[in-house]
Amino acid sequence: MGIRKFYENILGNRSLLCITILACIVRVFLLPVFSGDYIDYLHPWFLELKENGGVAAIGIPVGNYMVSYIYILAMLTHFPLPDIISIKIVSFIGDIVLAIYCKKLVMAIWENVRLSNIVYTTILLLPTVFLNSGAWAQCDAIYTAALVACLYYLQTEKPHIAMISFAVSFVFKLQAVFLAPLLLTLFFQKKIKLRHCLWVPLVYVITIFPAYAAGRSLEDLLLLYFNQVGTYKALSMNAPNFFAWFPAFYENTALANLGIFLAAIIMMGVAYYVKKYKIEVKGSTLLWIALFSLFWIPFALPHMHERYFFPADIISMILFLCDTKETKKILIIPTCSLLLTIRFLTGALWISPAVLSLPMFYVGIYIWKKVYRMKENAHNIISKDDR
């Protein structure tokens, strides 16, 4: 595979420190970019926190993000830096942590140092990653890093730490639940037990406690995600999925509920399928089922933003670079994400989420077939054991 050989020959042998410095330089050039999310949300939230005492203000309801990120913003108000710089530095750190865990995950599955270095390099220099942090000032790398950590600890058979990692992801972004089909699959296989799942509510309670102690309403904190879900009513928010074909700002409760129902069927279906055919969820199989989860849940759900496919971008790149049976088809996911990131950042309305939903659906079927054919491998293993 030409691209893989290029990375091996040109980038794979470079010092990871040099790669990291290069990645930071790329992001530094993007520091002057002010995205709509920064102007409309992050900057006003930062100012409100600063005007009310910074960390002392965590008890007031600021923004609609989970309080874990609000705590970070509150701490940043005490640094002598423009908020655009300090916010993006946090996101840069998230990118590095994400790349580190991607490297660790590859080592755990393929035990190939060079391949793990290639993945580290690719993730740090992936356009959807550095534009998300460097231009957009978003923090998707933070919760995605925790999701990749969850996969790493599942691969290394440490379910307690895996669920703690998932809980950390969840308390940064609700979109962590897109990994639910995989976790439900492992729960059915008894690789994740109920006691492991208790880490999620425990970490949530620990996370909201400082804000509660500072005076914020317990009801508000417990229902934060429920209230966040109701923020957007439009069926599509620039995501390349089924709902992109409806007019902008179009609302329809019946269709939204249908999408939610479809996502639930997908979640239960893949978990039942893997359990029925006794598919071993390890190695590349773990990543394919993770990708199935991270792709199909946001593809089926209403009210999705384009960057909700960010975790799917990461897993698809790992599989493309590391799975020797993989083809270039899977690159459709990060390519569509990049185009829609450009659409958001530049206002390039000629880039259509509806049109891009077609290749996304195509690659979604491809992923579906990959998971479906896993039963053949499972059957072959069982047959050999019988002999």
Side-chain angles (χ1 to χ4, degrees):
M1 188 178 294
I3 296 176
R4 188 178 298 163
K5 287 182 179 178
F6 170 80
Y7 276 112
E8 288 179 354
N9 295 330
I10 304 301
L11 298 176
N13 298 321
R14 299 280 184 100
S15 163
L16 292 186
L17 176 60
C18 292
I19 294 297
T20 306
I21 292 171
L22 174 62
C24 290
I25 291 172
V26 170
R27 287 156 174 79
V28 166
F29 279 110
L30 294 170
L31 282 176
V33 177
F34 286 55
S35 70
D37 280 1
Y38 167 77
I39 294 169
D40 296 334
Y41 302 106
L42 297 175
H43 181 60
W45 296 349
F46 185 94
L47 291 181
E48 185 175 358
L49 288 165
K50 189 170 185 177
E51 290 167 0
N52 287 278
V55 172
I58 61 173
I60 63 176
V62 175
N64 65 347
Y65 274 21
M66 182 61 181
V67 289
S68 49
Y69 190 72
I70 300 301
Y71 296 157
I72 293 174
L73 287 182
M75 288 187 286
L76 293 179
T77 63
H78 297 281
F79 287 88
L81 288 172
D83 61 325
I84 186 68
I85 294 177
S86 56
I87 288 171
K88 288 186 176 183
I89 286 175
V90 169
S91 297
F92 295 174
I93 294 171
D95 291 348
I96 294 171
V97 175
L98 171 61
I100 289 171
Y101 265 105
C102 288
K103 174 179 166 61
K104 289 168 69 70
L105 179 59
V106 170
M107 274 299 297
I109 295 175
W110 285 279
E111 298 180 348
N112 186 315
V113 175
R114 175 176 286 187
L115 202 55
S116 70
N117 290 343
I118 292 168
V119 169
Y120 178 88
T121 301
T122 303
I123 296 304
L124 276 184
L125 298 177
L126 193 66
T128 50
V129 174
F130 68 72
L131 287 176
N132 184 277
S133 58
W136 210 327
Q138 277 293 349
C139 59
D140 293 284
I142 297 175
Y143 88 92
T144 303
L147 284 183
V148 175
C150 175
L151 295 175
Y152 167 72
Y153 292 117
L154 289 172
Q155 172 64 23
T156 53
E157 299 181 356
K158 298 175 182 176
H160 275 297
I161 306 178
M163 291 309 295
I164 291 172
S165 299
F166 175 76
V168 170
S169 179
F170 180 73
V171 297
F172 271 97
K173 282 293 181 75
L174 176 60
Q175 287 72 42
V177 299
F178 295 163
L179 196 64
L182 171 67
L183 299 180
L184 185 62
T185 296
L186 293 170
F187 183 79
F188 282 171
Q189 290 190 337
K190 298 182 180 179
K191 292 183 178 180
I192 294 177
K193 296 182 170 58
L194 183 60
R195 66 176 181 273
H196 303 141
C197 299
L198 294 177
W199 281 109
V200 179
L202 178 59
V203 171
Y204 190 95
V205 169
I206 292 171
T207 301
I208 66 173
F209 181 76
Y212 171 71
R216 191 162 177 177
S217 162
L218 181 60
E219 180 183 3
D220 178 41
L221 291 166
L222 291 175
L223 299 179
L224 201 152
Y225 278 148
F226 289 98
N227 296 330
Q228 190 182 90
V229 168
T231 302
Y232 301 105
K233 302 294 184 182
L235 287 178
S236 176
M237 301 296 297
N238 202 39
N241 63 8
F242 289 128
F243 298 103
W245 289 93
F246 291 93
F249 309 112
Y250 179 74
E251 300 177 18
N252 188 304
T253 302
L255 286 174
N257 290 336
L258 179 62
I260 294 169
F261 177 74
L262 177 60
I265 292 296
I266 290 170
M267 181 175 71
M268 296 300 297
V270 69
Y272 172 76
Y273 179 82
V274 173
K275 182 178 186 296
K276 179 181 178 181
Y277 291 101
K278 299 178 181 179
I279 296 170
E280 181 68 14
V281 186
K282 292 281 286 185
S284 61
T285 299
L286 173 72
L287 296 191
W288 277 110
I289 297 176
L291 180 60
F292 182 96
S293 305
L294 296 169
F295 177 90
W296 273 105
I297 298 302
F299 195 85
L301 286 174
H303 320 309
M304 296 290 100
H305 292 260
E306 65 289 301
R307 57 192 175 82
Y308 291 175
F309 286 94
F310 187 92
D313 297 344
I314 301 304
I315 303 304
S316 64
M317 286 305 305
I318 292 175
L319 284 167
F320 170 72
L321 291 168
C322 301
D323 191 338
T324 55
K325 297 179 181 179
E326 189 42 52
T327 68
K328 296 182 178 67
K329 293 176 184 176
I330 205 167
L331 293 179
I332 289 172
I333 301 173
T335 300
C336 289
S337 292
L338 174 60
L339 289 171
L340 288 171
T341 297
I342 293 170
R343 172 187 165 95
F344 178 85
L345 292 173
T346 67
L349 299 181
W350 57 271
I351 300 174
S352 168
V355 171
L356 292 178
S357 71
L358 298 177
M360 287 289 274
F361 181 68
Y362 169 77
V363 77
I365 296 299
Y366 176 70
I367 296 168
W368 196 297
K369 288 180 179 178
K370 277 280 193 178
V371 174
Y372 178 77
R373 288 170 183 161
M374 288 174 184
K375 72 175 184 179
E376 298 172 5
N377 294 332
H379 176 73
N380 292 336
I381 293 171
I382 292 172
S383 298
K384 290 178 182 179
D385 290 343
D386 290 341
R387 290 198 296 269

